[in-house]
Amino acid sequence: MYKDAVSLMKTRKYMIQFTLFTTIFLALYFTIDYLNMSYDEMQSNYGTYLVVINVVLNILMATLSGFLMHLSTSMVSMRGKEGKGSVFGFFSVLFGILTYGCTSCVIAFFASIGIAFSVVALPLAGLPYKLISLLLITIGLIWIRYELNHGSCKVNLKPKDQ
C-alpha cells in the first residue's frame, strides 16, 4: 500500500498538494529561524557553515513534512482513515515554535499558560532542537509507512452465526 501512496504523488492533485505543504513548511521553518536569529547575525557569530546547515535542514525538513502530509492524505483516500504517524509533523512544528522562537516570545507564552520555565540559551542558534525536530519527522514517516504496509481493514468477513 505504501507503493500505491507514493505512486499517487504523480497525479496532478497530489503534486499540487505536496508543493503547497512543502512551501508552507518552508515558510514556517525560515520564519522560526528568523525569529531566533537572523542569518547575518548567525554567520557573524558562528560562521557560514551554520547558516548553510540551517538552510539545508529547513529544506530537508519541509520536504519530508510535505511528504508526510502526502502519505497521510493518501492513506485517508485509500483506507478512509488518517494514520497516527502524521501528527509527528505537527509536533515538529510546535516543538520548533516553542524552542526556536525568540526568548521573550517563548517566555511570554509559557508564562501565559502558567509555566515559568523556558530554554534560556539555545546552543548553535537552536541547531540541536532542529535536529530533534528532524528526528520527530523521521519517526512520523517510519510510523506512517508501517501503517500503510501493515494496516488492516477492520471488516469481519465471516457471518456472526458461524
Side-chain angles (χ1 to χ4, degrees):
M1 211 167 180
Y2 175 76
K3 290 180 183 177
D4 295 334
V6 172
S7 68
L8 276 177
M9 198 171 202
K10 296 175 185 172
T11 64
R12 187 176 194 279
K13 172 189 170 188
Y14 286 101
M15 277 183 171
I16 292 171
Q17 179 182 340
F18 170 74
T19 304
L20 183 66
F21 281 136
T22 302
T23 304
I24 291 170
F25 280 114
L26 267 175
L28 279 170
Y29 291 132
F30 280 116
T31 302
I32 289 169
D33 273 356
Y34 177 75
L35 292 174
N36 183 34
M37 180 183 290
S38 71
Y39 289 129
D40 290 334
E41 187 179 346
M42 191 184 301
Q43 182 179 8
S44 66
N45 289 340
Y46 299 103
T48 307
Y49 78 95
L50 191 63
V51 174
V52 171
I53 289 171
N54 272 294
V55 170
V56 169
L57 279 175
N58 284 345
I59 294 169
L60 178 65
M61 288 177 11
T63 304
L64 290 177
S65 294
F67 186 60
L68 180 64
M69 296 304 292
H70 162 72
L71 289 177
S72 179
T73 55
S74 297
M75 181 183 270
V76 169
S77 69
M78 290 188 302
R79 291 179 58 195
K81 71 176 193 173
E82 186 175 356
K84 293 177 179 73
S86 60
V87 299
F88 283 96
F90 170 75
F91 285 146
S92 170
V93 171
L94 182 64
F95 180 75
I97 289 171
L98 294 178
T99 55
Y100 305 149
C102 62
T103 306
S104 59
C105 298
V106 174
I107 290 171
F109 173 75
F110 281 145
S112 70
I113 60 172
I115 300 173
F117 171 79
S118 178
V119 178
V120 177
L122 300 174
L124 293 173
L127 184 64
Y129 300 103
K130 190 173 282 195
L131 294 173
I132 292 170
S133 290
L134 181 62
L135 179 68
L136 287 172
I137 294 168
T138 305
I139 290 170
L141 282 168
I142 292 168
W143 191 315
I144 204 160
R145 182 178 179 157
Y146 177 82
E147 285 182 323
L148 280 166
N149 286 333
H150 296 92
S152 61
C153 184
K154 299 200 182 233
V155 175
N156 189 3
L157 297 176
K158 293 182 180 179
K160 288 186 178 183
D161 38 318
Q162 284 185 356

